[in-house]
Amino acid sequence: MNQTEPTAPILKVSGLRTYFFTGEGVTKAVDGVDFEVHRGEVLGIVGESGCGKSVTALSILRLVANPPGRIVDGAVHFQGRDLLQLSDREMRAVRGKKISMVFQDPLASLNPVLRVGYQLAEVFRYHLGLDRVKSLAESVKMLRATEIPSPAERVRNYPHEMSGGMRQRAMIAMALACQPALMIADEPTTALDVTVQAQVLKLMKEICRARDTAMILITHDMGVIANMCKRVAVMYAGRVVEYADVFTLFKQPAHPYTEGLLKSLPRLGAKANRLESIEGQPPMLNNLPPGCAYGPRCRYVQDRCRQEAPPLTEVKPGHEVRCYFPLSAVSG
Ligand SMILES: Nc1ncnc2c1ncn2[C@@H]1O[C@H](COP(=O)(O)OP(=O)(O)O)[C@@H](O)[C@H]1O
Ligand SMILES: [Mg+2]
């Protein structure tokens, strides 16, 4: 494999904490998250629903609704600047142009009464100052890059005239229009059926590779992680519980939660009834148990885990785990 020596990361999230202040108390949706993304690489963030993945993504772009949400601590260094320190105006110049985002539901992000081509052209007009004719031509080019058939006609479609897969391709075209350094994709294919999902993921990977765009790919699906990512952050209850390259994570998961996620992944040839899921529910983030948040569901739980929360610790270079009794240490 040709490993290019990692340079300084383009994005470095450190000690990020985003809390929601509501009538029911403080929900610590993101509670001390750290990770890095390098140029052109795909970082996966995986975890069950409600563990803080989307709030992490929204925090990076400072799109968390305030109130009730607030980024209470941390830093998000991007191309040498802390995004959390920028003015709103400076932040608007980053969004969509340098960092773009693709959401799960393209219908919610597209304006239903405007033609798709117009919405795409808007991006070129706003960020690059292109005129009408040029921005429309660029839009057609961008749609072609996402392998939408007859792009010159498709630009005239309204969102409802496109299939779900095609709409998501149009969203990806929009996200990549300004050649951002980083694209954040939050469950981009979860709403699509399986074959379309595979096509769209393949497209995203190819197009990012061709343009040297880094990606943060958020998913609850370990299968997607395996296909797409280089490094992975596993999140549980607002924290990263395991951080490793994808090979290590699948071959030698060190956190019991990661092991649980992998066991619930269907394998080719395995009998469907052998599929295990993790028992219990993720905890409420406004009422965490003392000690390890995963403790109540963990099959290896010990007394120490119930008393104090474990820190994120390096078990091997580049492999970090938030557990007092990491599995690789147990199984050798
Ligand atoms: N607008 C909000 N108001 C209050 N709590 C919120 C809000 N948005 C998210 N949360 C809380 O933050 C937690 C993490 O949510 P989220 O990041 O969306 O999870 P996921 O990992 O499924 O993307 C959830 O438990 C949710 O209760
Ligand atoms: Mg989410």
Side-chain angles (χ1 to χ4, degrees):
M1 242 180 279
N2 81 65
Q3 291 256 334
T4 39
E5 192 52 39
T7 43
I10 58 160
L11 184 85
K12 185 171 164 59
V13 173
S14 343
L16 182 68
R17 289 177 208 275
T18 306
Y19 295 174
F20 291 93
F21 300 85
T22 64
E24 284 97 74
V26 182
T27 299
K28 297 179 175 179
V30 174
D31 199 21
V33 161
D34 304 84
F35 57 78
E36 294 178 358
V37 187
H38 290 268
R39 198 171 143 187
E41 102 176 0
V42 183
L43 173 85
I45 300 183
V46 67
E48 288 164 295
S49 176
C51 68
K53 304 182 298 294
S54 294
V55 175
T56 300
L58 293 171
S59 301
I60 292 170
L61 284 171
R62 286 175 40 191
L63 291 171
V64 176
N66 176 7
R70 190 148 48 85
I71 299 171
V72 295
D73 200 10
V76 178
H77 282 100
F78 173 71
Q79 296 183 335
R81 294 188 298 177
D82 180 2
L83 297 182
L84 302 187
Q85 304 303 326
L86 298 188
S87 69
D88 289 346
R89 190 162 157 261
E90 288 170 319
M91 197 59 216
R92 276 197 296 276
V94 171
R95 273 185 221 119
K97 184 162 187 191
K98 296 189 168 149
I99 306 179
S100 63
M101 191 149 175
V102 176
F103 298 92
Q104 173 173 339
D105 180 6
L107 266 189
S109 324
L110 287 165
N111 187 329
V113 300
L114 296 175
R115 294 178 202 275
V116 170
Y118 177 87
Q119 298 185 55
L120 191 46
E122 231 355 70
V123 181
F124 291 105
R125 274 200 295 271
Y126 179 79
H127 284 299
L128 304 180
L130 298 186
D131 65 30
R132 255 195 60 204
V133 177
K134 279 200 184 117
S135 59
L136 195 65
E138 284 301 314
S139 304
V140 173
K141 225 156 88 186
M142 213 45 234
L143 284 184
R144 184 169 294 128
T146 66
E147 295 166 12
I148 287 184
S150 352
E153 286 139 49
R154 285 295 176 182
V155 287
R156 303 185 53 78
N157 279 175
Y158 290 94
H160 74 267
E161 295 174 312
M162 290 182 156
S163 68
M166 220 181 272
R167 278 197 289 268
Q168 200 56 305
R169 283 170 197 264
M171 285 307 299
I172 292 162
M174 219 173 278
L176 294 172
C178 293
Q179 307 237 14
L182 174 68
M183 174 165 84
I184 304 176
D186 189 355
E187 308 265 7
T189 58
T190 302
L192 306 176
D193 57 38
V194 186
T195 32
V196 181
Q197 173 171 348
Q199 291 162 2
V200 171
L201 287 173
K202 183 163 168 273
L203 169 81
M204 286 172 68
K205 197 169 170 176
E206 285 169 358
I207 214 166
C208 284
R209 188 178 292 156
R211 290 158 175 257
D212 213 14
T213 304
M215 181 170 20
I216 296 177
L217 179 65
I218 295 175
T219 175
H220 61 272
D221 185 340
M222 277 290 198
V224 170
I225 293 284
N227 279 322
M228 296 287 290
C229 303
K230 188 163 172 230
R231 284 192 72 74
V232 187
V234 180
M235 278 189 80
Y236 191 78
R239 295 193 174 133
V240 173
V241 296
E242 184 155 9
Y243 187 51
D245 71 83
V246 71
F247 294 106
T248 306
L249 196 83
F250 278 73
K251 275 194 92 111
Q252 287 184 302
H255 199 287
Y257 179 58
T258 311
E259 184 193 56
L261 287 178
L262 289 171
K263 281 197 171 145
S264 55
L265 182 70
R267 268 172 216 283
L268 216 60
K271 291 207 175 74
N273 59 8
R274 298 270 300 278
L275 216 62
E276 291 178 44
S277 66
I278 307 171
E279 266 184 53
Q281 295 293 317
M284 298 293 291
L285 300 183
N286 60 357
N287 191 17
L288 282 179
C292 174
Y294 187 61
R297 296 172 78 188
C298 182
R299 56 204 288 192
Y300 310 101
V301 66
Q302 316 258 339
D303 279 345
R304 188 180 180 192
C305 312
R306 298 190 185 97
Q307 282 145 20
E308 50 176 335
L312 197 62
T313 323
E314 198 166 75
V315 284
K316 266 192 228 135
H319 187 182
E320 295 174 24
V321 185
R322 194 182 290 279
C323 180
Y324 290 125
F325 307 99
L327 297 173
S328 43
V330 176
S331 59

